[in-house]
Amino acid sequence: MAAHNPLSAMLVEEAGFDGIWASGFELSAANGLPDVSLVTMTEHLSTMRAMAERTSLPIVADVDTGYGNAINILHTIEQYEGAGAAAVVIEDKTFPKVTSLIAGGRQELLRIEEFQGKIEAAVHARKDPDFLIIARDEALIAGLGEEVALARAGKYAAAGADMILIHSKQKTPDEIESFINAWDGPVPLVIVPTAYPQMTEAPAIALKKVKMLIYGNHAIRASVTAMQKVFAQIINDGGIQNVNAEIVPVSEIFRLQKMDEVRANEERFLR
Ligand code: SPV
Ligand code: MG
């Protein structure tokens, strides 16, 4: 499940998900910005590190295009692995990228050889062999068709990617199902079913080759829904007298902040 700050990451963990997606889209939106390579590596990395400090779940870091070329990737991997990520997803777009789900987006892909070099650099740079390098194939997003998507995915696996994230913005699962069925490469697949939510976990797993589903933006969308609703009610009511039923009590925030520990520590250490 996506998260954009430590609190949302903590809620992901409490809800029972088994991993956190440190989403570039969510962090961009949380900063009031479009997801077009405006958030810097420093900003994303520090958010990711703060999430890792507050949760114990594995974090899959969305590093967009990797913040540069293969040389920059060497540094990116060192930094993200050092900050506690369990995996990175690197996408095969040119920098600056354009968010994938936008209709009519300008989607330019990197030369295959150059992206292979980036994946090879990422594999070379990791210290722990369990740190996953996930190559993100945007050929379907760019409208290049299944044949190109399969060819690119095969080359990325050959370059050493541990998994292939195949993204689609079709409103039905047909395109992704067809890719999954045609994929006979040596590594498993990751999907992001935002545009085709009919593809739930059971049918995705039944297709055998999918080993990870990413819910890409549901934390930020849930937050926006909640804030829009409650803010409108306060404006309409001319006060906060009716919203308590709609929102958690302050005590719930204290619980998440671990104020009980602060109390205990006060008793123990403050003299
Ligand atoms: C993100 O959440 O930042 C993603 C997924 O990369 S998507 O926005 O669907 O491209
Ligand atoms: Mg992203």
Side-chain angles (χ1 to χ4, degrees):
M1 172 57 72
H4 50 274
N5 60 22
L7 180 62
S8 54
M10 288 158 62
L11 294 172
V12 170
E13 181 162 21
E14 279 199 358
F17 292 99
D18 56 5
I20 294 165
W21 170 236
S23 159
F25 177 85
E26 290 222 349
L27 187 59
S28 301
N31 279 283
L33 292 171
D35 183 20
V36 293
S37 296
L38 298 178
V39 170
T40 65
M41 184 180 95
T42 312
E43 291 170 317
H44 188 267
L45 180 66
S46 83
T47 302
M48 206 285 311
R49 183 182 284 114
M51 288 182 194
E53 284 169 0
R54 287 284 163 275
T55 61
S56 56
L57 290 182
I59 300 179
V60 180
D62 175 12
V63 299
D64 287 354
T65 59
Y67 307 106
N69 65 16
I71 305 307
N72 299 70
I73 290 269
L74 296 168
H75 177 66
T76 301
I77 297 303
E78 182 196 86
Q79 293 291 304
Y80 276 81
E81 187 175 4
V88 288
V89 173
I90 309 167
E91 63 196 52
D92 61 354
K93 298 219 259 252
T94 55
F95 178 92
K97 58 67 93 45
V98 170
T99 195
S100 298
L101 297 180
I102 191 84
R106 179 190 57 79
Q107 304 296 346
E108 288 169 8
L109 301 199
L110 216 56
R111 283 181 304 109
I112 292 174
E113 297 71 25
E114 186 174 355
F115 193 67
Q116 280 191 305
K118 289 173 85 165
I119 295 299
E120 284 171 27
V123 170
H124 175 77
R126 72 171 160 205
K127 296 194 177 75
D128 180 352
D130 287 338
F131 181 85
L132 292 183
I133 309 296
I134 304 174
R136 171 164 163 176
D137 181 341
E138 292 277 294
L140 299 178
I141 292 286
L144 300 176
E146 182 174 300
E147 210 174 308
V148 173
L150 284 167
R152 281 186 168 258
K155 301 271 191 189
Y156 304 163
D162 300 300
M163 301 179 88
I164 303 293
L165 189 159
I166 180 69
H167 205 2
S168 165
K169 61 180 173 200
Q170 295 287 314
K171 300 272 183 284
T172 64
D174 312 5
E175 181 178 64
I176 211 80
E177 258 174 34
S178 174
F179 179 96
I180 294 166
N181 287 326
W183 173 245
D184 62 358
V187 300
L189 300 174
V190 182
I191 61 169
V192 187
T194 311
Y196 49 92
Q198 313 90 307
M199 174 69 87
T200 55
E201 292 161 21
I205 291 162
L207 290 169
K208 299 285 187 227
K209 301 161 199 171
V210 176
K211 299 289 184 207
M212 191 190 296
L213 276 84
I214 292 175
Y215 300 130
N217 51 33
H218 296 75
I220 197 83
R221 288 166 62 196
S223 312
V224 170
T225 304
M227 285 191 270
Q228 284 177 334
K229 190 169 172 227
V230 169
F231 295 172
Q233 186 169 0
I234 294 170
I235 290 278
N236 285 336
D237 294 351
I240 55 174
Q241 67 276 31
N242 295 320
V243 290
N244 274 347
E246 305 288 332
I247 56 181
V248 295
V250 180
S251 59
E252 173 62 359
I253 307 298
F254 289 155
R255 183 188 69 79
L256 290 162
Q257 292 173 309
K258 295 196 171 52
M259 275 308 293
D260 53 345
E261 279 181 23
V262 175
R263 280 258 171 78
N265 286 333
E266 277 176 349
E267 280 182 23
R268 187 167 169 201
F269 300 119
L270 285 186
R271 285 164 208 162

